[in-house]
Amino acid sequence: MPKDRAPTRIQKKNRAAILEAALNVFSAHGFRGATVDQIATEAGLSKPNLLYYFPSKEAIHTALLSGLLEIWLAPLHDLDADGDPMEEILAYIRRKLQMSRDLPRESRLFANELVQGAPRIHESLSNDLKTLVDEKKAILTQWMDQGKIARLHPYHLIFSIWALTQHYADFDVQVRAILGDEDPFDGAEPFIDTLYRKLLTP
Amino acid sequence: MPKDRAPTRIQKKNRAAILEAALNVFSAHGFRGATVDQIATEAGLSKPNLLYYFPSKEAIHTALLSGLLEIWLAPLHDLDADGDPMEEILAYIRRKLQMSRDLPRESRLFANELVQGAPRIHESLSNDLKTLVDEKKAILTQWMDQGKIARLHPYHLIFSIWALTQHYADFDVQVRAILGDEDPFDGAEPFIDTLYRKLLTP
DNA sequence: TCTTGATTTGACCATCTGGTCAAACTCACG
DNA sequence: CGTGAGTTTGACCAGATGGTCAAATCAAGA
C-alpha cells in the first residue's frame, strides 16, 4: 500500500486507470458480477498490483461510488430558487438528460446498486440525497404556492424527472432494441421538454 | 432429471417452489449474485435436489424470464385500437403501475437483466417486444392522425410510461428513502394520471 | 406387500475468486 | 552510481460455487 505522502506520478496514473476500468466493469456486471482480475486486466495491471493500490474489491467500489455521488447530484444542486421556475426546471431536466447521454456508465453503476437494494449506499440516500431533495422540494412548493407552476406532488415530480432521464442510460439496450438506428436522445429531448412544459404550465 | 411424462404432484410442487425462490433471489442479487445454494435453501431443498429438477442455474433463470415475459407484456397487449384513446392509454398506465406495486420482484428481475445489457434476453427484446411495440405504435399514430390525442413521438411516449411506472418498483429503495412513511403508489397514481391527461390532450 | 420408478442426499470435484506474501525490479535523488 | 523507497509479480491459499454421482429412501400401482 502506498504511503500517504503526496501521490507519485505512477500512483496518480494507476489509481485513475483502476477507477476507469472499475467503472466499466462494475457498471456492466454489477458488484458481484465483476471480478478483480477483470478490472486489473482492463486497467493494464496484474491483480496483486491492483491490490497494491486498493486494499479490496469493495474499496474500489466504494471509492467509485462516493466519488461519483457528488457529480450525480450536481444538476439538482444547481436548481436556483431565484431563477424563472419553468426555465430552471427545464434546465435541470436538460442537464440530467445530458448526463444520461454522456455518463451512461455512471448511471448504470447507480442503477445496479439501487435495483439490488443499495446495500452499499443506503446511508448516503437517507442523508445526502434526502437532504438535497428536501431542500429543492421547498423551492418547488414555493413556486407552486406562487402559482408559477402547476401544483403537483413535488417528490413525484422529481421522481418523474429521474425516471424519464435515467431510463435512457439504464435501459439503453431495450431502448435501442426498439428504436433501431434512431438516436435515442434526439427524440427524447424534445419529447421530455414538451412533456414538462405541458405538465408544469399552471 | 424427471422424465417428461405428466408431472407428478411432487414435481409440480417443487418446480413451483424453486421458481418462487429463484424469483426472490435473482431479483434481489442479479444472476451472478445469486447462488444455487441460496435458491435451494429458500425453496426448502438441498442443492443436488434442486439440480434434479433444473439442469443448471442458467436454466432456472431462463425458465423464470421466459415465463414472466408474457405476463410482463400483457398490459400493453390489451391496448385496444377500438377503445377511447385517452381511456385506453390511461388504463394501460394504471395496469402497468399496478404491476409495479404487485410484482416488484418481477420488475427488478427484468431491470437487473436490462441494466447489464440483457445478455440472456437480448433476442426476445428484438423480436417479441419490438413486434408488440410496433403494433401498438401504429395504433397510437392513428389516434394522433385523427387528432384524438396530442402528436408525440410514439416510441418515446411508450418509454415514458415504462420509465415512470417501473421506477417505483426498480428503485424502490431510493423512493422510500425520500418519501419516508408515505406510500409511494398513493402519490404516484394521481401524479402520473394527471401527467398523461395533460400530455395527451391535443 | 412388493416392485419399480421417482426423489433425495452426502460426499466429492474442478474451477473461480478475493486476497496474501516474499522476492524481484524500478525509479528518483543524493 | 548507489541506495532506499516505491512498484510489480509469480506462486500460493482458503473459501465459495456450480455441478456430478452412486447410493439410499420414498411413493404408488399391481
Side-chain angles (χ1 to χ4, degrees):
Chain A
M1 220 179 331
K3 302 290 163 61
D4 55 4
R5 303 180 188 172
T8 67
R9 177 180 52 87
I10 294 175
Q11 271 171 46
K12 264 191 230 173
K13 193 194 61 168
N14 283 345
R15 275 180 197 281
I18 290 168
L19 290 176
E20 169 71 15
L23 178 56
N24 278 332
V25 179
F26 282 135
S27 68
H29 305 289
F31 180 78
R32 196 71 175 5
T35 76
V36 177
D37 255 319
Q38 217 178 337
I39 298 171
T41 301
E42 193 149 331
L45 301 173
S46 65
K47 185 170 60 166
N49 199 179
L50 181 150
L51 290 167
Y52 169 72
Y53 291 99
F54 288 89
S56 70
K57 178 183 175 182
E58 180 113 24
I60 305 172
H61 194 255
T62 303
L64 252 191
L65 277 178
S66 63
L68 288 173
L69 193 61
E70 202 179 339
I71 298 174
W72 211 241
L73 298 183
L76 184 53
H77 230 284
D78 292 350
L79 191 86
D80 181 6
D82 297 331
D84 174 71
M86 180 70 83
E87 283 314 309
E88 281 296 320
I89 296 173
L90 289 175
Y92 169 53
I93 291 165
R94 257 176 257 124
R95 286 196 294 272
K96 256 299 201 177
L97 194 59
Q98 197 84 18
M99 289 184 65
S100 265
R101 189 210 301 253
D102 299 340
L103 308 173
R105 297 174 304 169
E106 286 79 350
S107 189
R108 282 192 284 267
L109 183 76
F110 283 116
N112 258 303
E113 197 61 16
L114 287 178
V115 175
Q116 297 182 12
R120 277 168 282 272
I121 54 165
H122 206 283
E123 211 161 326
S124 300
L125 292 184
S126 307
N127 299 334
D128 305 339
L129 180 64
K130 168 77 172 156
T131 303
L132 177 60
V133 168
D134 279 345
E135 189 186 317
K136 301 307 176 180
K137 173 200 172 183
I139 297 176
L140 292 173
T141 304
Q142 193 192 343
W143 287 340
M144 292 173 193
D145 288 345
Q146 296 169 348
K148 293 184 173 168
I149 56 174
R151 178 165 302 284
L152 297 161
H153 193 306
Y155 284 148
H156 289 279
L157 174 57
I158 292 172
F159 293 157
S160 73
I161 294 170
W162 291 348
L164 284 176
T165 55
Q166 294 183 194
H167 186 83
Y168 290 92
D170 299 344
F171 303 125
D172 178 76
V173 230
Q174 185 175 238
V175 168
R176 287 183 196 278
I178 285 165
L179 285 183
D181 288 335
E182 199 178 323
D183 182 315
F185 292 94
D186 284 353
E189 215 212 286
F191 177 87
I192 296 178
D193 193 272
T194 302
L195 190 157
Y196 281 101
R197 277 185 201 282
K198 286 199 181 191
L199 177 64
L200 292 171
T201 301
Chain B
M1 216 179 332
K3 303 288 161 67
D4 53 6
R5 303 181 188 173
T8 66
R9 177 179 52 86
I10 294 176
Q11 272 172 43
K12 265 192 229 173
K13 195 192 62 171
N14 283 345
R15 274 179 198 280
I18 290 168
L19 289 175
E20 169 71 14
L23 178 57
N24 277 333
V25 178
F26 282 134
S27 68
H29 304 290
F31 180 78
R32 194 76 176 1
T35 75
V36 177
D37 255 319
Q38 217 178 337
I39 298 171
T41 302
E42 193 148 330
L45 301 173
S46 65
K47 185 170 58 164
N49 199 178
L50 179 150
L51 289 167
Y52 170 71
Y53 290 100
F54 288 89
S56 69
K57 180 183 175 182
E58 180 112 26
I60 305 171
H61 194 253
T62 302
L64 251 191
L65 277 177
S66 62
L68 287 173
L69 193 62
E70 201 179 342
I71 298 175
W72 210 241
L73 298 183
L76 183 53
H77 231 284
D78 292 349
L79 191 84
D80 181 6
D82 297 330
D84 174 69
M86 180 71 83
E87 282 315 310
E88 281 296 320
I89 297 173
L90 289 175
Y92 169 53
I93 292 165
R94 256 176 258 123
R95 286 195 294 271
K96 257 304 209 174
L97 194 58
Q98 197 84 17
M99 288 183 66
S100 264
R101 190 211 300 255
D102 298 340
L103 309 172
R105 296 174 304 168
E106 285 80 349
S107 188
R108 282 193 284 268
L109 182 75
F110 283 117
N112 258 304
E113 196 61 15
L114 286 178
V115 175
Q116 297 181 13
R120 278 168 281 272
I121 53 166
H122 207 282
E123 211 161 326
S124 301
L125 293 184
S126 307
N127 300 336
D128 305 336
L129 180 63
K130 169 75 172 157
T131 304
L132 178 60
V133 168
D134 279 344
E135 188 186 317
K136 300 307 177 180
K137 173 201 171 183
I139 297 176
L140 292 173
T141 303
Q142 194 191 345
W143 287 341
M144 290 175 193
D145 289 344
Q146 297 169 346
K148 293 185 173 169
I149 57 174
R151 179 165 299 285
L152 296 161
H153 194 308
Y155 285 147
H156 290 280
L157 174 57
I158 292 172
F159 293 157
S160 74
I161 294 170
W162 291 347
L164 284 176
T165 54
Q166 293 182 197
H167 187 83
Y168 290 93
D170 299 344
F171 302 125
D172 178 79
V173 228
Q174 185 176 239
V175 168
R176 286 183 196 278
I178 284 163
L179 285 182
D181 289 335
E182 199 178 322
D183 181 314
F185 292 94
D186 284 354
E189 214 212 285
F191 176 87
I192 297 179
D193 193 271
T194 301
L195 190 156
Y196 282 100
R197 276 186 201 281
K198 286 199 181 192
L199 178 64
L200 292 171
T201 301

